[in-house]
Amino acid sequence: MAPASALLLTRLMLQDFRSWPSLTVPFSGRIVLVTGPNGAGKTNLLEAISLLGPGRGLRGARTAELGRQVGGATGGVALPWAAAGRFRDPFGQEFDLGTGTPEDGPPERRILRLDGAPVRAQSLLAERVAAVWLTPQMDRLFQDGAGDRRRFLDRLVWALEPHHAREVAAYDQAMAQRNRLLAQERREGMRADAAWLAGLEDAMARHGAALAAARRGLVARLNALMAEGVTGAFPSARLTLQCPVAAALAEAPALAVEERLRADWAASRGRDAAAGATLIGPHRADLVFTHAPKDLPAALCSTGEQKALLVAVVLAHAGLIAAARGFAPLLLLDEVAAHLDATRREALFAALAELPAQAFLTGTDAGIFAPLRGLAEAFRASPGASPGQLVADMDFVVPDAL
Ligand SMILES: Nc1ncnc2c1ncn2[C@@H]1O[C@H](COP(=O)(O)OP(=O)(O)OP(=O)(O)O)[C@@H](O)[C@H]1O
Ligand SMILES: [Mg+2]
């Protein structure tokens, strides 16, 4: 019996979504496995689920990429596509959420419908559905530049505070305008309009302090949950936000921090013009992951240890969403189990069994999920001769009614 606070996806329908020509599949499990060979469409399936909500999904793809390509890579066309899910909320109420391109509209436009009615504000969706995910692409997080870690953090913040995306966008936009103005001043050897620059710096200071505060707040809450052991047998992670603006917010009221930012930017116009960039500000922040038991930065951890750190953060994040919204988000774990040794895998399965969340797991090898036999509902995806097939894997026993 699933705990009352689980949000459940009970049916998924796809039409010409990436590799899936047409699919209707009911889900009755709280843990759903999708196995199959490379290219079978497993990640595509999770991506479709991730698009049943606010945002651009787990690949961050453009809408026009998502339609099934027919007629070859060159000169081919992407078909209009649709993805729809039926959900059951923690109170047992069902609702339908659909998304896709309009039949006669431009392929880059995506529409969302809640129980058949167009959804105007994506933030309204955040009250009904949420999903968190881990994908193989995220393994690079520890090697890539700070920008990817910042975006990772911003996505975590945004899932809890939908207006965070607007703060980030407004800050970036004001900074881009300031950079352009400074570049023009330098190119043309004339003084830019000081009042205009001050106005942009003021916008940057307000939005920058707000977004740094939101990031700082989330990091503190995640750390608190991980320190409490929410990640079960997983090595817990410790997150450190490296950002002078966030650090200043710990010492001084936000208005004072904004004032200092305005003064710093006003004083550094010449240097920033020469550098062609704004050199200080929350857009330079980094998020450092530490393996708590070893007290080692993630960059020095093994691949499996890094994966476990990400799992810990994602589980803690799911816990935060559950506490804030009253329902746990769907967990979309793409190829997560394959990177973990048997002990950590079992820790993952145990953590998933504990969490009141519906989890979707993929992998090429059904064998590694053996400990979930009897607990999970399993499907096999097949490519090749019969692309877009998803069949129940009868080796796994479907659990009792939810
Ligand atoms: N727009 C599209 N139209 C048609 N096919 C697409 C489109 N986008 C991706 N594909 C194809 O979908 C197939 C399945 O991709 P997917 O990433 O879901 O596979 P997977 O089962 O996750 O494989 P792996 O085990 O390698 O991760 C790929 O062969 C890919 O080329
Ligand atoms: Mg995949």
Side-chain angles (χ1 to χ4, degrees), residues 18 31 35 47 72 75 79 95 100 103 121 124 140 144 167 171 173 187 203 206 240 254 269 271 277 287 290 374 377:
R18 291 206 189 260
I31 302 181
T35 60
E47 183 183 30
L79 298 173
F95 61 94
E103 280 289 339
L124 292 178
R140 292 200 307 260
D144 288 351
E167 296 290 353
Y171 176 85
Q173 202 183 5
R187 218 175 30 246
R206 282 182 290 109
T240 314
R269 286 174 191 164
R271 193 187 60 180
L287 180 67
T290 305
E377 179 185 25

Side-chain angles (χ1 to χ4, degrees), residues 1-3 8 10 27-31 88 374-375 377 397-402:
M1 194 75 183
L8 299 167
T10 56
F27 298 119
S28 60
R30 201 169 62 70
I31 302 181
R88 192 182 318 143
L375 292 173
E377 179 185 25
V397 182
V398 177
D400 293 331
L402 291 161

